Amino acid sequence: MRKTAILYGSSTGNTESVAQTIEEKLGNGVSKINVDGLSITDLNDYENLIIGVSTWGIGDLQDDWEGFLPDFVKADLNNKTIAFFGLGDCESYSDSFVDAMGIIYDKIKDSGCKVIGQIDTEDYSYDASVSEIDGKLIGLAIDEDNESDKTEERIDRWLEQIMSQL
C-alpha cells in the first residue's frame, strides 16, 4: 500500500473513532491526521487520502472541515487516490444524510484525483443526500446514532473494496 493519510475532523469523537478503526485495520504506513491546523503542504507526502467528515444540522460541514476546506481545494491533488467516509444521522436528518462528503467531493472532483470507494445505497434508509451520485454514495456512510451495530461490518466491506486501489 502506498503512503496513506486519513484526514478527519471530529466534534463529538465519532469521526475520530471511525478514523482510528480504519487506521488500525489498514495497519502500518497509515497516518491519522486531524485537519484542524493542518497545512496543505503536508499532503504532498501522501499518495492516498481517506477523507472522514461528519454532517451537522441540515447538510453542514463539521467545523474543522469548514475551516480547512478553503485551503484543501488549493492543494495539489493531481494523481492522488481519494476515498471518503462520512458520518450522518439517517433518521433525524434523512434529507441531508452524509451531505458533507458530497460537499467536499464537489469541490475537488475536477482536481485530477481519482475517487474510489463508492457504495450501493441498498443497505441505507434516507430520503436524500448530495453524496449520492448515479444511485451510489461517493463513500462509506456511517450512522453511529441509529445504526452503530452496522459500523464494523460496513467498514470491513468498504476496506475490502478499496484496499487493492490504495
Side-chain angles (χ1 to χ4, degrees):
M1 177 173 34
R2 297 172 296 173
K3 199 162 180 192
T4 301
I6 301 170
L7 306 179
Y8 73 94
S10 191
S11 297
T12 64
N14 286 342
T15 306
E16 181 176 15
S17 177
V18 173
Q20 179 70 37
T21 299
I22 292 170
E23 179 186 39
E24 290 168 1
K25 288 178 180 287
L26 289 177
N28 293 335
V30 177
S31 302
K32 179 175 64 90
I33 305 169
N34 190 319
V35 298
D36 184 32
L38 180 66
S39 168
I40 59 169
T41 58
D42 295 334
L43 301 179
N44 295 336
D45 295 336
Y46 300 96
E47 296 174 71
N48 302 319
L49 302 175
I50 299 174
I51 297 173
V53 62
S54 57
T55 302
W56 284 85
I58 304 173
D60 295 325
L61 286 174
Q62 185 272 340
D63 290 343
D64 296 334
W65 272 104
E66 184 74 35
F68 183 63
L69 188 58
D71 290 333
F72 187 58
V73 298
K74 297 175 190 171
D76 180 8
L77 301 176
N78 194 41
N79 295 318
K80 292 196 185 293
T81 299
I82 296 179
F84 288 90
F85 72 91
L87 278 76
D89 182 332
C90 68
E91 290 182 14
S92 298
Y93 298 98
S94 67
D95 288 336
S96 58
F97 182 59
V98 297
D99 274 1
M101 282 194 304
I103 292 168
I104 296 172
Y105 169 79
D106 191 54
K107 298 283 187 187
I108 66 163
K109 67 183 178 190
D110 297 323
S111 67
C113 64
K114 175 185 176 185
V115 177
I116 63 170
Q118 296 82 7
I119 60 168
D120 290 323
T121 60
E122 64 193 31
D123 189 34
Y124 296 91
S125 177
Y126 62 92
D127 293 322
S129 177
V130 298
S131 293
E132 183 179 331
I133 299 171
D134 297 329
K136 290 189 176 238
L137 291 166
I138 59 148
L140 172 64
I142 299 289
D143 183 343
E144 285 293 273
D145 296 322
N146 305 294
E147 300 179 339
S148 61
D149 58 317
K150 297 181 179 183
T151 298
E152 188 84 19
E153 179 185 337
R154 285 176 171 168
I155 291 171
D156 289 344
R157 209 172 36 226
W158 182 68
L159 288 176
E160 185 177 311
Q161 174 190 339
I162 68 171
M163 282 294 293
S164 65
Q165 300 173 71
L166 295 176

